[in-house]
Amino acid sequence: MRNYSDYRIDDFAMDPDFIRWVLDPHLSDHDFWPQWLQENPHRLSDISAARLIVASMHIEEVEISQELVLQGMDKVLAQSGLGPARPTVFRFRFWLAAASLLVLVSSALILYKSFRSITHKNRPLAVSVWAVPVGDSLVEQANAGLSPKIIRLSDSSIITLQPGASIRYYSAFLGGNTRSIYLKGNADFQVEKVSNKPFLVYSQELITRVLGTSFTIKADGTAQDIKVIVHSGKVSVCREGEADSKGKLSSGTVQRGVILTPNQELVYNRTPRIFQKSLIDTPELVNPVAIKHDFVYEDIPVTEVLEEFKSAFDIDIEYDKEVLKDCRISANLSDESITKKLDLICAALGAKYEMIDGAVSIQAHPCK
Amino acid sequence: MISSDAYILGKIKEGDGNAFSLLMEKYYSVLFKYGLHITKDTDLIDDCVQDVFISLWQIRHKADSIQFIRQYLLTALKRRIIRVETQRKKTLDLHDYEFDLQFSIEDILAERQVAEDNASRLRHILDQLTSRQKEVIYLVYYLQLDHAQVAEIMHISRQSVYNLLSETIRKMKDFWENAR
């Protein structure tokens, strides 16, 4: 780091190291800058002015789809005589080993391999059900209107079909080992628990398996992505051909499906067939009983606050208990979303948090 | 200290296709996004990004001599795009392009509770930035490159980078001093 003593506001706002501290801090920045400020307390107002300037250089940037990148990479590799691109995860793993650059993608890429070779003779296929004419044994419900349509099934489960969505199911819905629904389009599910009869939703090439829960599936036939969002309970999602006859994830050396808990959403990209699990944008309060302080805290240990968040929102928050053991907080966080609450707590702690694979990971420093 | 990029480039020099894939995975979308600020022709960007990587692989025997790979790739991409776009004009002018940039300042305005007339003043300041000033901001604040690398990519002197940047910073500083 250079000698900042004669820096003016403008100089700070243009300094690459200062910019990094504001926009994308490395762990060392959390040590350097607070310490520098302790040694130069009269510079606090300049530093905050410069921080504000840097923070307002906020650029709107598009996201580039993984598909476009992979297709482009395939072309480059083919032209360079290196063959097609290999599945993402292998590169990803190598990446970790080689360079330990963990932040390559913000949410972890979970499922990876293609399993074209697996045949599924004994199970009904999502595709084939739509090829069969509807008759006495096969029922279709469609929503041709403009508002959501509510359907109650014989097991008392409720499906809300969004406009344009349709489901098919066999009239002997409750007669088999599983309750199977075939979905096109977007729908919300509130599933009643029936012991020993898992509820399976076939949407495109995905199977979502639940016991009793509510969740949303967004599976437009044309869309590149299939989305599963869990509101309560627990569901597992896998690709067709990777589940056994009861829709359970097949066991094997490679983890082949994804388990979702409340406030998590899964995006399945159909090409290149990648599952991406993340927290939904605004996690909902799923367990109000867990709230002891109504989000108003007076000199409460931060660990207690975080534990309360964990159970109230049913999200994973990872942090080092030892590091945070002396940190206490006084704040009124009652009006903020959970992400904003975490922002504020982390700001107060001078900590950083990341969303990794549907969990929150906090990197903090001990409090004095 | 061996930086991760240097490690990857060393592997590429040895002909490691896996390392080459890694490099592409890391930078493909960075390059594509940068290209989008120079041209709206996405097919052209895609072709140029691929060409940049293909020619990097062709010269892999000297890959380890590249000091800043991100700057190298950005510079190479920009030159390619401009070269294709100016081919019709038969002249190659590395400054003959417009850099398009959108700011998203709504969050910070809301957070700081900036009044609407002040907010529109900030939008006006940002709208008034020249194409070069926008590009400097993108490279310095979004890609967080240092000034020397920015000068390379923009094909201008370090002093020019400083001048382009300081004018914008001065305006922003004035704005925030008065908006409080």
Side-chain angles (χ1 to χ4, degrees), chain A residues 39-98:
Chain A
E39 289 158 13
N40 303 275
H42 59 290
R43 306 300 306 278
L44 180 62
S45 68
D46 284 356
I47 293 286
S48 4
R51 277 190 67 97
L52 185 56
I53 294 170
V54 172
S56 47
M57 298 289 190
H58 200 268
I59 285 148
E60 202 173 291
E61 189 58 299
V62 292
E63 281 308 314
I64 305 297
S65 77
Q66 185 81 6
E67 186 199 353
L68 185 143
V69 173
L70 287 181
Q71 280 176 358
M73 285 174 57
D74 275 342
K75 283 186 199 160
V76 174
L77 292 173
Q79 285 216 34
S80 305
L82 289 164
R86 302 219 259 122
T88 306
V89 69
F90 294 118
R91 287 196 300 269
F92 186 65
R93 278 198 186 144
F94 175 80
W95 186 246
L96 291 177

Side-chain angles (χ1 to χ4, degrees), chain B residues 9-43:
Chain B
L9 286 171
K11 287 277 172 200
I12 290 175
K13 187 188 179 178
E14 293 165 16
D16 186 335
N18 223 339
F20 183 52
S21 295
L22 277 172
L23 189 82
M24 281 199 281
E25 188 158 314
K26 188 173 176 193
Y27 289 115
Y28 202 99
S29 61
V30 174
L31 290 179
F32 200 97
K33 287 190 220 177
Y34 179 63
L36 278 172
H37 293 282
I38 302 170
T39 176
K40 292 283 163 261
D41 185 343
T42 51
D43 288 342

Side-chain angles (χ1 to χ4, degrees), chain B residues 79-137:
Chain B
R79 287 177 182 216
R80 263 176 207 275
I81 291 174
I82 297 172
R83 203 177 300 150
V84 175
E85 292 219 310
T86 52
Q87 239 158 25
R88 297 159 225 133
K89 298 180 206 160
K90 308 254 186 223
T91 54
L92 178 62
D93 178 356
L94 289 175
H95 297 124
D96 186 14
Y97 63 94
E98 284 297 311
F99 195 88
D100 182 43
L101 191 64
Q102 304 297 321
F103 290 89
S104 69
I105 51 172
E106 304 313 320
D107 284 352
I108 193 142
L109 290 173
E111 189 191 307
R112 298 276 160 171
Q113 304 189 329
V114 175
E116 185 44 46
D117 52 337
N118 271 330
S120 55
R121 217 157 54 77
L122 180 59
R123 284 188 207 98
H124 184 71
I125 292 172
L126 295 173
D127 286 345
Q128 293 290 304
L129 297 177
T130 65
S131 164
R132 294 295 167 275
Q133 286 174 327
K134 286 178 183 169
E135 185 170 11
V136 170
I137 288 176

Side-chain angles (χ1 to χ4, degrees), chain A residues 21 28-40 350:
Chain A
W21 176 46
S28 60
D29 297 325
H30 292 308
D31 293 329
F32 176 82
W33 289 100
Q35 197 189 329
W36 191 86
L37 266 173
Q38 267 180 5
E39 289 158 13
N40 303 275

Side-chain angles (χ1 to χ4, degrees), chain A residues 214-238:
Chain A
S214 76
F215 62 100
T216 303
I217 296 183
K218 295 182 175 175
D220 288 333
T222 48
Q224 196 47 245
D225 289 334
I226 305 173
K227 235 185 213 188
V228 180
I229 302 157
V230 175
H231 308 297
S232 68
K234 204 180 216 183
V235 311
S236 71
V237 184
C238 66

Side-chain angles (χ1 to χ4, degrees), chain A residues 94-331:
Chain A
F94 175 80
W95 186 246
L96 291 177
S100 70
L101 264 186
L102 292 148
V103 210
L104 184 62
V105 279
S106 56
S107 12
L109 301 173
I110 305 168
L111 205 95
Y112 14 90
K113 247 181 136 186
S114 52
F115 292 91
R116 269 174 238 232
S117 55
I118 296 174
T119 52
H120 11 91
K121 285 177 194 148
N122 303 325
R123 288 186 310 103
L125 284 177
V127 192
S128 64
V129 162
W130 297 97
V132 179
V134 177
D136 286 341
S137 64
L138 186 64
V139 184
E140 176 169 313
Q141 300 260 21
N143 182 359
L146 293 173
S147 51
K149 179 177 173 182
I150 293 171
I151 292 156
R152 187 180 284 272
L153 299 170
S154 51
D155 65 347
S156 298
S157 295
I158 292 167
I159 301 178
T160 309
L161 285 183
Q162 297 303 320
S166 48
I167 51 166
R168 285 187 174 192
Y169 52 91
Y170 290 97
S171 48
F173 175 66
L174 263 173
N177 289 331
T178 64
R179 298 170 282 167
S180 297
I181 296 286
Y182 302 84
L183 168 72
K184 268 188 183 172
N186 303 344
D188 295 315
F189 294 83
Q190 274 175 267
V191 174
E192 282 298 320
K193 198 165 183 164
V194 176
S195 66
N196 220 13
K197 278 191 190 174
F199 192 98
L200 306 184
V201 183
Y202 293 78
S203 45
Q204 317 288 9
E205 61 260 44
L206 284 195
I207 307 173
T208 305
R209 173 183 186 272
V210 296
L211 290 166
T213 182
S214 76
F215 62 100
T216 303
I217 296 183
K218 295 182 175 175
D220 288 333
T222 48
Q224 196 47 245
D225 289 334
I226 305 173
K227 235 185 213 188
V228 180
I229 302 157
V230 175
H231 308 297
S232 68
K234 204 180 216 183
V235 311
S236 71
V237 184
C238 66
R239 273 196 296 263
E240 267 207 303
E242 291 161 20
D244 66 23
S245 61
K246 279 215 148 193
K248 279 191 186 156
L249 303 179
S250 337
S251 52
T253 45
V254 187
Q255 190 209 346
R256 289 177 176 179
V258 177
I259 308 276
L260 289 182
T261 52
N263 285 329
Q264 290 190 333
E265 84 175 16
L266 177 89
V267 177
Y268 173 73
N269 194 298
R270 302 178 69 194
T271 45
R273 311 215 252 177
I274 286 169
F275 283 138
Q276 238 177 315
K277 189 161 87 166
S278 60
L279 270 188
I280 65 172
D281 290 342
T282 47
E284 302 158 38
L285 190 60
V286 286
N287 188 9
V289 189
I291 301 168
K292 277 177 278 176
H293 302 285
D294 249 343
F295 299 120
V296 181
Y297 305 103
E298 284 263 355
D299 196 29
I300 304 279
V302 163
T303 49
E304 196 176 310
V305 176
L306 293 174
E307 289 305 312
E308 191 172 306
F309 287 3
K310 272 164 89 167
S311 40
F313 293 92
D314 204 359
I315 52 180
D316 271 344
I317 302 179
E318 296 158 7
Y319 60 92
D320 190 333
K321 282 205 170 74
E322 192 51 35
V323 168
L324 288 181
K325 70 178 173 10
D326 296 325
C327 301
R328 305 178 78 84
I329 191 167
S330 298

